[in-house]
Structures are given as structure tokens and as C-alpha cells.
Amino acid sequence: MKTLNFALLVLTANPLAAADFLGRHFTVADGYTLSVAAPPELVERPIEACFDDKGRLYVTESSGSNEKVEEQLKKKPHRLLRLEDTNGDGVFDKRTVFADGLMFPEGVLWHQGVVYVAAPPQIWKFTDTDDNGVADTREVWYDGKTLTGCANDLHGPYAGPDGFIYWCKGAFAEQTHDLPQQKGWKTRASHVFRMKPDGTEFDSVFTAGMDNPVGVAWTPEGDLIVSGTFLQHPGDGKRDGLIHAVRGGVWGKDHNVLDGHIRTGPLMPPMTHMGPAAPCGMCRYGRDLLVCQFNLRKVSRHVLEPLGSTWKTTDSDLLVSDHPDFHPTDVLQAPDGSVLVVDTGGWYKLCCPTSQIARPEVPGAIYRLRKNGGEVSTACPEPRWKLAKTEEPADLVEQAKSGDEGAAEKALEALLKPLAEQAKSSNLHIRRMAIEALGQWPARHRFTPEGGGRLPREGRAIVAPLLAAAAAPEADRFLEHALTYALIEGADARGPRVTLSSDRPMLQRMGLYWVSQTDPSELESNPDEIGKFLSSPDAGVREAAAFLLQKAPQWRGQAGGWVRKFLTENRSPEVLRPAVEVLMNEAGFRKDAGVWLAAAKTGPLQQMLLDVMAAAAARYEFPREWVEPLLTVLESGETATAAAAVFAAKPLKKMEEVRDKLANIIRDAQRPASVRLLLMQALSPVAPTESEFTLLMQTLAANGPDADRAAAVLSRAKLTAPQLAVLAPALAQCSMLRRPLVLRAFAGATDETLGLAVVDQLEKSGGLTGLSAQDQSECLGKFPDKVQQRIAGVRGKLNQGAEQQKARIDELEKVLPAGDNRRGAVVFQSPKASCSLCHQAGYLGRHVGPDLSKIGGIRTRRDLLESIAFPSASFVRSYEPVEIKRKDGTIAYGVVRSQNAQAVTLVTGAVTPDATVAAADTASMNPGALSLMPQGIDLILTPQELADVVAFLESLK
């Protein structure tokens, strides 16, 4: 045992008028005073902390390692400390190493004399039987059996108010667990799990497609609140936040890992949006919530206010630092009512959302916030509302177990009556809580003699009170979810007829989700009914009916007939689209789409069908039955461009007779340029005629919306030597994102004069330094030695190691002049930088790459320079590139836009079309090493332009 005394450091406990500690400047909310509770000399890189019943603090501490997680699992370099404040002055002064040899620790909990530590892939139990400050026993309490590259497989654990221990699964690795009513349950999604301390009653609380649920806290009423990242795909400054995690809910982002999980409607909405904050540690503080925002270098306070049956928050900052290496990871209330803030320092870079240049030499610390004039009580406030306690008389319980079906049902009705009454309460929170209790009631009360599986008697008993609750007014999304999930989770599979026969859209939605996930044969008695729901004026009912079609293939034939009927009646495209999208995933109905297209009488209907057909064409083999209807539409004019887009969704490798017909349309100069370009893309690679080549060059020079398509066609075109000579000067005018694409037209060229002309144009525009070594090799590698000598020096600039990259950033920081954010906004949108072709910044730009609307709040000037100069040094979460190798040997490279069981769609660049690779065509899918963002922008821009664009990005907060 190693005990260290830091009594001299007590001086740091004296609060300063200006909140400056350990080289960091802080802004503290009015009414609070900041001090240092544990300096770096005591705990250098703290991550999470918790108190025991004697006021001692257990702190997980990193060794500073950023090695791959597999290596950390082998070496286990991290540890768990126990800190004590021996003289009660508010500063911890004694440390013992409670346990060492830990994998990257992702949470700590003291509970009933045992310390639990999440160290992926496991949660460990540590016990100090002689209370000497060192654990003498350790055992695995839970094993998730998965460890992914970011080690976000586990966060927690946390002690719930219901006697369970909770933890978070963040990674999308597949795990297998036994649920109460489902053995061998498999999931890739994110979850909050729970289990009793004795290792029994494992359960999933909620499901999500978010990358990383992290922090957990409970309201005084017992509602679960979770902090997490990527609740949605970044956009409009939104990304991370807080959710009110009701039982059985499914949250974003929308991702194929959610496939197969119980759904009750659209994804549940977040409670609080935070932007790119990377929220992590969280605690309840009186009635409010305190949340660490790792990226934004602050601890925020969130006042909970009722909103229907859920909550909303009023948000403010409690503690903020402008120091780039202040990264709060945990916040907790001390036994005396003060608040501790754990700052982990600058060591972390593993999947780091900021810089990839680790700074393990920059330590963290633990700070203490005190409320002036008295601390906030650590006792849980009385809940605003709670379910009334209900008794279950023994005679009713016995009667419910009897073989007399009538008597048993009456007894069950009496037992459920108190909950049934509360499920109709005017207080929407009480109503939701009672509904949730009703849904779980059958599993908790195994009165049915045979037991196990679904419980028919108890399942039937809860249907009536749930439907009565649904009839009460003022239902919101959370109440509707609670009702639907309670029916799916606890009710007997038979009996949704009353919901489906209702004229209330909410009951119809509930019934459709209920029957689709229990027993779709319930509709066999009246198959025409599905048509009523598919054509409902309520969008939610239509979506629910489409969901039923996914789960019940036997109704798709009827649905196809209704689609044809609705088309002839000129129904709204929005009404038809959900059903059409489902049917298009089945080969027989894909063939029928040509018939549907011929039957569509209006442009909007045709446009909708063509959009869906284009998406299907990218995933599946192109049906021959589409050809004639599409050719007919190509003649119509109104939706000709959309029809051409269906052909262009995937290059046509067969059907030579179709290629000939499309080639004739391409040659027709009277056709719209967009149609001709799309069809060229469909037939790619093409050998353009002189008039077609002229069209491509004119479109490229115009720099309009079709320029990207022209560049894509040129990249694969079979050009003659004279055409290549004409194309070479255009390289200087291309944007830097289109330039590598156009340059591919020269792949395989060997003429020295042409090669020198190409290099001249690239040097004139600065474009040569903006090309990766791979681009240079593939596009210029066949030119003779004289050309290669001209470009040899560039490769050295671009292929730099970490030390060279660091030196380059150091150089830029020194030489760049002062920047102007207004000029920077102009550079951001300019063809020279081309930033806005990929990135959104406020109202500017597009959603190809990460949203930069709040980038200045989470990245330092140095971080921004690094991301511009060396974009492949780090990847923003959800924008990591992947390489898919098809079975035919071809490669698709990009960022995943969408993924399901049928196909993966990749964003391949700002100016190139998405690539969809069917699962059946996929040989392998692996992480990519190169960013889609071109390297060398810092070499293309002048120092002033670079300084200006960095100033613009810094201003985005």
C-alpha cells in the first residue's frame, strides 16, 4: 500500500476572487465559489469518481495511454485510487492505490460495500475486506464480450433507485443476452442495461442508434435521464444531448442497428439538444441535472420542467473554462452538498472529438464548487408525483390463480383497478407511469398456472385498462409510446381488433404496431383493411401500415393492388410513398414498378415513383420491365430528368439494346443537358463524340449544379488524345474537390508533352500540392520520367509522419497573420477552398462532411489548423471512411450514409455520386485510412486566406 500526504497543497483550497487555478481560467455561475479538491500531484489524470458511505472518494485514473484498445487490454495500465480528506478542510490529502492493472476504466460505483468498475469488455467487483484502502478480492460481475476501437462498449455502472445496477452499451458490436422472456437475444444497437447486484434479472431499458450513451441520472420521480452523443446525424448545430429514457423507447440516430427492435412509431425525440458537446458524466443536483460537456469545456445546469408526460429543460452554464485542455468527464455531489468536477486533462486522444495530438503532459485535477450561503441538500427531494401504493389482497391473488376462468378474470380486474384508475389520471406523468406499470404487470405476476412465455390470462387483463387510458385526452408521443409498448410487452397477442376498428388515428397506430410485432395473422379476417390504413389521411397511420407490410409479407400482394388503384385515382404521392418504399425491396414488386409508372397520371406521382425506383436501382439488379416505361417518361419532359436518374443510379453493364437507345438520346442536342449528362453517367465509361465532349466541357466550366456530374463522366470517359489536350487547361479552373476527379481522365496517358501540360496547369493553380500521393500515382503514374521528376518533391510534403505534421502545425501557428472572419466566410465558399461543398456552417454549405456550425466552441486554433492541413490524422465520429471491396474486385470508398440488411450507401465525395453496394455483392468492408477531404489546402491557400478561414471557423460557436 502506498500512502501519500499532500498537506501543503491545502493552500489551494482558499478560493480566489478570480477563478484561476492550475493555469486554467474559469467562469463560475453567480452564487458559487470554485476551489481545488484534488490537485494533479494527488491524481494526475482522473476520469470518473464516486463516494462511499464514509465520504472517501474512489477515482479511476488513466495512465495516459492512447494505445489501441487491444494493447491496453493486454497491458491493463490504468488504476483505481481512493482519496481521503483527513482533516476535513475540503482538500483530499491522502491517496491509496485501491486497485491497479485495469483496462481503460469507463466508470466507477461504490454500492453496498463493493466497488464496481467498468473496464471494457467487463464490469469488475472490487472488495476491500479489511478496509485498508486496497482491494483484496476482484471478480468479473458482468462480461459484455465485445471491445471495439473506441472502447465505448461500456459506461457506468450506476445504482438505480429500484435496486438495479445500470450501465450503458455504446458501441455497435453485436452482443447476445438472455432477456426475461427471450433467450439468446442479439443486438448491435446502443442500450442502457440493468441487472440486480446478485447478477439476476438482466434487462434492456431502452434502445438507440446513438454512438454513445454515457451518463445516467434519475429525477426525484424516478424517471431516467441519459446523456449521449450523436442522437442525430449532425446538422443545424445539433448532434448530442439528453434524453428522457422511457422504458422500451427507441432513439436516434436512424441506423440499421435498430432493425429488428420493437418499434412503437417514429424515433423518440431528444429532451435537450447540445450540439457537438460530447456530454458525459451527469448527476442530479436537487431537482436539476448537472452535465459535463467534454468538447465544450464546461459543466452545464439543466432545470427540469414538466412537458406533457415528459420533460423539457432550461439550460445554463455552471462552470466554463477557456483552457483547451480542460475536459470535464464527471460531476458528482459530495456528502456535504458541494459539487466535485473531474477534469481529465489533455491526455485523451483515442477517438477524440478534438485534436489527435495527445498531450499527456497536461494533467487534470478535481475541483469543488460551493454554493454561497449554503449547500444544496444531498437528499432526494420529494417527488412532485408518484403512483399511489396499491395492495394485493391474498384472497384476490388466490382467486386469480384459480382454475375458474370467470372468477380469475374478476380477481385480476380487481387487482388491476388501482393502476387502471391512475392510468386515466389528468396528470400525464402519473398516467404514463401507471401505463408502464401495467405493461410490466403480467411479467411480475405469474398467476397463470402454466407460466412462462406470454401470459394469456394476465395479458388479456391489462388490455381493457390500457385502452381506457388511451381514450383519455391529451396524449403525447411519450404516452402513445407507453401505451403501445405496454400492449406489445405485456398484453395477450390476441385482441388488437378494437384498436384497428377505431376511427381515432392514435388507436389505429397503436394497433398496427401491436399486431405487426405480435401476430400479423390477426388481420386475416379482413384483408382489405390494410388498404384503409395505407391510404389514411394521418401520416403516422400510413407509416405504421408500411411497417406492418415489412413484418407481414402476406399482405404485400394486396398492397400492390391498392398501389395501382390509388395511382389511377391520382392519390397524393405522400400517401403512397411509405407502401411503395416497402414493396420495392421485393423482386416481384420491383418489376411491377414499371406498370405503376405507366399508370401514374401526374408529374408528382411519377416523380415520387422515380425517386423510389432510383434508390432501388442502386441496390438491386435493374429490372428489364422498367425500360420501356422509363423510355416513355424520358419523352415526356416534365419528369425526364428523374427518369434519367433511375438509369444513372448504377452504370448499366448489360442490356446492350438499352444502351443503344440511351446513346441516341445523348446524341440529341435538343434534349436537356441534365438528361444527357445523367445518361452518359449511366453508360459510363463512354467515348464522347465531339459535340458530347463540348457539352461536358461547357458544363464543367459553368461551375453550376451539373458540373459535378460532368466531372464524374469525364473521370471515366475514354477520351482521345486531342480531347485530353483540351481538357488539360481546365484543371486550373476546377475546384480542388473536382480536380482529382477530372484528373482521373488522364490515368494511363503516356505522352510526355501532355503530362507536362497537366503538371503546368496543376502548378499554376496550386492543385498539385492538393493531390494525395494516391491520386498522383493513379492519375499521373504512367507519364514518363521527366513528368515524374516535376512532381517528385510534392509527395514528400504530403506523406508526413506525426513529428513532421506537428512541426508543420507549429510553423503555421508562428507565421500566419491575424485573420478576419468576414473575409474567411468568403474563402470558405470560394471554389479555391471549396469548404462549403462539403461542410455546413450556419446557413452556408452542404451536409457531406461534419457540420461546422459550432466548431469554434469545441476546437482550438491549433486543432483547426491540424484538421485543414492533415484531414486524415483524425476522423469525426460517424464520418470515418470505409473501403468496400465488391466480389468483382472493384472498390467503393467513402463514408456510410445509410446501411441496412440489403445494402450500404457511401458518400464518395462532394462532387461524386453516392455508391450503393448490395450486401450480396460485398466481399469485405474495412475501415479506410484516408479522409474524403483533400490534403494540402494549407498549401493552396495563401497565408492570409488560411488565417481568414481559421478565424471564420473560430467564430462559429
Side-chain angles (χ1 to χ4, degrees):
M1 179 178 70
K2 185 176 181 180
T3 303
L4 302 178
N5 192 294
F6 293 94
L8 293 177
L9 292 169
V10 171
L11 292 174
T12 62
N14 298 325
L16 304 177
D20 290 283
F21 295 97
L22 307 177
R24 290 156 168 73
H25 176 73
F26 295 94
T27 301
V28 185
D30 289 345
Y32 290 86
T33 303
L34 184 70
S35 63
V36 177
E41 294 83 353
L42 194 70
V43 54
E44 191 171 1
R45 302 179 193 92
I47 308 174
E48 295 93 4
C50 70
F51 283 98
D52 67 10
D53 59 347
K54 296 180 181 178
R56 299 172 297 198
L57 189 69
Y58 295 82
V59 183
T60 56
E61 185 182 42
S62 168
S63 67
S65 172
N66 281 290
E67 291 185 288
K68 291 183 177 180
V69 293
E70 295 82 4
E71 289 300 311
Q72 294 192 49
L73 184 61
K74 292 176 185 176
K75 297 177 180 178
K76 298 181 174 64
H78 313 289
R79 61 185 183 174
L80 173 64
L81 307 178
R82 188 172 83 178
L83 308 184
E84 297 180 56
D85 176 6
T86 60
N87 57 12
D89 65 352
V91 177
F92 295 98
D93 49 56
K94 179 181 177 182
R95 178 185 77 194
T96 59
V97 178
F98 191 78
D100 56 12
L102 298 182
M103 171 51 185
F104 181 25
E106 306 257 353
V108 59
L109 168 68
W110 182 92
H111 184 64
Q112 297 178 346
V114 176
V115 181
Y116 298 80
V117 174
Q122 298 157 329
I123 299 177
W124 289 82
K125 285 176 61 175
F126 295 98
T127 308
D128 178 10
T129 57
D130 56 8
D131 200 26
N132 68 347
V134 178
D136 43 40
T137 66
R138 64 172 70 192
E139 61 181 301
V140 174
W141 179 73
Y142 163 80
D143 190 350
K145 298 183 172 62
T146 64
L147 181 63
T148 52
C150 294
N152 59 330
D153 305 72
L154 280 174
H155 286 293
Y158 309 94
D162 52 5
F164 283 82
I165 292 177
Y166 290 68
W167 68 96
C168 304
K169 173 187 182 291
F172 294 154
E174 184 175 272
Q175 293 185 356
T176 302
H177 301 285
D178 289 336
L179 297 181
Q181 296 186 38
Q182 186 177 350
K183 303 295 183 184
W185 173 73
K186 296 182 183 297
T187 181
R188 292 175 53 226
S190 297
H191 294 273
V192 165
F193 292 140
R194 68 177 186 177
M195 190 163 64
K196 287 292 183 67
D198 63 4
T200 62
E201 299 187 45
F202 176 92
D203 196 11
S204 170
V205 180
F206 82 94
T207 301
M210 72 175 77
D211 289 62
N212 210 8
V214 182
V216 166
W218 284 266
T219 70
E221 294 73 26
D223 284 335
L224 175 65
I225 310 296
V226 178
S227 67
T229 60
F230 289 91
L231 302 180
Q232 67 171 59
H233 288 285
D236 304 319
K238 296 178 180 179
R239 193 188 79 173
D240 309 336
L242 307 178
I243 65 172
H244 171 201
V246 291
R247 179 169 178 79
V250 178
W251 273 262
K253 59 186 182 296
D254 200 2
H255 196 284
N256 71 309
V257 299
L258 301 177
D259 294 349
H261 289 280
I262 291 176
R263 300 293 286 267
T264 64
L267 293 172
M268 301 293 288
M271 180 178 72
T272 306
H273 277 290
M274 289 180 171
C280 40
M282 176 169 64
C283 73
R284 184 180 49 77
Y285 183 60
R287 290 192 177 278
D288 306 335
L289 299 171
L290 303 183
V291 181
C292 292
Q293 299 189 30
F294 182 100
N295 278 5
L296 300 183
R297 302 183 292 278
K298 65 182 179 181
V299 177
S300 52
R301 183 172 185 173
H302 306 269
V303 179
L304 287 163
E305 302 169 3
L307 177 66
S309 66
T310 182
W311 304 91
K312 63 179 179 179
T313 61
T314 300
D315 313 319
S316 61
D317 292 339
L318 184 65
L319 176 69
V320 183
S321 176
D322 57 8
H323 194 284
D325 290 312
F326 175 74
H327 291 300
T329 48
D330 202 8
V331 58
L332 63 159
Q333 196 169 14
D336 67 356
S338 63
V339 172
L340 296 189
V341 176
V342 178
D343 165 27
T344 201
W347 69 273
Y348 181 68
K349 81 175 185 70
L350 187 70
C351 298
C352 184
T354 54
S355 177
Q356 284 294 291
I357 299 175
R359 290 177 278 271
E361 73 280 1
V362 181
I366 301 177
Y367 298 89
R368 189 186 301 273
L369 276 167
R370 289 196 181 278
K371 192 175 191 305
N372 301 339
E375 304 292 359
V376 173
S377 172
T378 58
C380 182
E382 279 295 313
R384 296 179 178 89
W385 46 75
K386 56 185 177 181
L387 289 178
K389 291 185 177 180
T390 58
E391 295 184 0
E392 296 179 347
D395 59 333
L396 285 178
V397 172
E398 286 302 313
Q399 191 173 344
K401 294 179 180 179
S402 72
D404 185 334
E405 191 70 22
E409 289 188 358
K410 287 182 179 180
L412 287 170
E413 183 180 352
L415 288 167
L416 288 167
K417 185 176 181 180
L419 275 179
E421 290 300 318
Q422 294 180 83
K424 296 184 290 186
S425 170
S426 59
N427 183 306
L428 300 190
H429 283 260
I430 290 179
R431 193 192 303 178
R432 174 180 51 77
M433 294 162 68
I435 290 166
E436 291 172 350
L438 282 168
Q440 297 175 70
W441 200 87
R444 293 200 311 268
H445 300 77
R446 298 182 179 274
F447 296 146
T448 303
E450 60 270 23
R454 286 203 171 272
L455 308 172
R457 186 182 290 171
E458 292 73 37
R460 288 196 302 273
I462 68 170
V463 172
L466 287 174
L467 295 181
E474 298 184 64
D476 58 18
R477 174 70 183 100
F478 280 73
L479 267 176
E480 183 173 337
H481 160 77
L483 285 160
T484 308
Y485 190 76
L487 288 169
I488 295 171
E489 181 183 39
D492 182 70
R494 297 162 293 178
R497 172 60 50 202
V498 66
T499 58
L500 296 176
S501 60
S502 170
D503 58 0
R504 289 186 60 202
M506 188 182 84
L507 282 172
Q508 293 176 357
R509 294 191 297 266
M510 288 169 52
L512 287 166
Y513 283 109
W514 180 12
V515 72
S516 67
Q517 292 165 103
T518 52
D519 186 6
S521 65
E522 173 66 23
L523 288 182
E524 286 188 48
S525 60
N526 187 4
D528 288 340
E529 197 162 23
I530 189 68
K532 176 182 74 174
F533 300 126
L534 287 171
S535 58
S536 169
D538 182 83
V541 172
R542 297 196 301 270
E543 290 176 8
F547 186 81
L548 174 61
L549 284 182
Q550 296 178 38
K551 300 293 184 179
Q554 63 266 37
W555 303 120
R556 294 176 191 164
Q558 293 288 342
W562 288 312
V563 168
R564 289 191 295 272
K565 178 183 177 184
F566 297 160
L567 284 168
T568 59
E569 296 172 355
N570 291 331
R571 295 295 187 100
S572 164
E574 290 74 22
V575 170
L576 288 172
R577 186 164 192 142
V580 170
E581 288 179 332
V582 173
L583 296 175
M584 204 68 75
N585 288 320
E586 195 169 307
F589 293 109
R590 282 198 299 280
K591 295 178 181 179
D592 288 346
V595 177
W596 299 344
L597 184 61
K601 302 301 182 185
T602 66
L605 280 170
Q606 286 185 347
Q607 183 72 52
M608 180 274 291
L609 286 170
L610 291 165
D611 289 345
V612 178
M613 291 167 71
R619 291 188 175 94
Y620 308 107
E621 185 175 353
F622 197 100
R624 289 180 177 273
E625 291 81 356
W626 289 7
V627 174
E628 292 305 320
L630 284 171
L631 290 173
T632 299
V633 176
L634 279 173
E635 301 294 335
S636 69
E638 185 179 3
T639 52
T641 301
V646 179
F647 282 116
K650 189 162 58 179
L652 297 173
K653 298 180 180 179
K654 301 178 181 178
M655 297 191 289
E656 289 301 320
E657 72 282 7
V658 179
R659 296 177 65 91
D660 292 340
K661 291 178 180 179
L662 298 184
N664 289 332
I665 297 175
I666 293 171
R667 296 188 190 103
D668 185 353
Q670 302 304 311
R671 300 277 184 167
S674 58
V675 171
R676 298 173 69 195
L677 289 166
L678 279 164
L679 296 182
M680 286 187 204
Q681 186 176 318
L683 300 184
S684 182
V686 295
T689 65
E690 287 308 309
S691 64
E692 292 162 8
F693 180 69
T694 299
L695 171 65
L696 289 168
M697 294 301 297
Q698 290 174 343
T699 306
L700 187 67
N703 204 35
D706 282 333
D708 296 344
R709 187 162 292 113
V713 172
L714 286 165
S715 71
R716 302 190 67 209
K718 300 175 182 179
L719 302 181
T720 64
Q723 287 174 336
L724 288 172
V726 172
L727 181 61
L731 290 168
Q733 281 73 48
C734 284
S735 71
M736 68 176 303
L737 290 175
R738 290 193 191 111
R739 191 176 293 121
L741 198 60
V742 176
L743 195 64
R744 293 176 194 172
F746 297 90
T750 59
D751 182 77
E752 182 179 282
T753 302
L754 176 64
L756 292 174
V758 168
V759 175
D760 285 342
Q761 296 301 320
L762 292 174
E763 286 187 329
K764 183 187 298 184
S765 63
L768 189 58
T769 54
L771 297 175
S772 70
Q774 181 178 356
D775 284 334
Q776 292 175 41
S777 175
E778 292 178 355
C779 303
L780 306 175
K782 298 295 184 181
F783 286 116
D785 291 345
K786 190 173 182 179
V787 179
Q788 300 305 321
Q789 291 169 7
R790 290 275 302 274
I791 63 176
V794 178
R795 290 192 176 97
K797 292 182 180 180
L798 294 173
N799 295 329
Q800 298 180 355
E803 288 303 315
Q804 293 170 304
Q805 292 180 7
K806 183 177 183 299
R808 173 62 176 158
I809 301 304
D810 291 341
E811 175 193 359
L812 288 174
E813 284 193 305
K814 292 176 183 177
V815 303
L816 286 188
D820 181 275
N821 66 325
R822 290 168 297 182
R823 292 196 306 261
V826 176
V827 177
F828 184 86
Q829 299 176 78
S830 69
K832 188 174 184 181
S834 301
C835 305
S836 59
L837 285 178
C838 284
H839 300 285
Q840 185 179 47
Y843 60 88
L844 304 174
R846 298 162 60 190
H847 285 304
V848 176
D851 184 352
L852 305 181
S853 298
K854 295 187 178 182
I855 193 68
I858 63 173
R859 293 235 185 174
T860 65
R861 178 180 175 85
R862 184 180 180 87
D863 294 334
L864 293 169
L865 285 170
E866 178 190 326
S867 64
I868 292 170
F870 305 107
S872 296
S874 62
F875 301 123
V876 174
R877 295 291 299 279
S878 291
Y879 290 93
E880 301 93 338
V882 298
E883 180 180 277
I884 300 178
K885 185 174 183 179
R886 300 182 181 92
K887 291 179 180 178
D888 64 4
T890 59
I891 300 292
Y893 191 89
V895 173
V896 175
R897 181 186 294 278
S898 63
Q899 183 177 4
N900 56 34
Q902 290 78 39
V904 178
T905 298
L906 300 182
V907 177
T908 63
V911 298
T912 51
D914 290 355
T916 298
V917 183
D921 297 335
T922 301
S924 63
M925 179 172 168
N926 296 298
L930 294 175
S931 172
L932 294 184
M933 177 176 167
Q935 186 172 326
I937 297 178
D938 59 309
L939 301 173
I940 293 174
L941 300 178
T942 67
Q944 185 62 65
E945 288 170 334
L946 181 58
D948 289 343
V949 80
V950 169
F952 170 64
L953 295 174
E954 285 183 301
S955 72
L956 300 174
K957 297 180 181 180

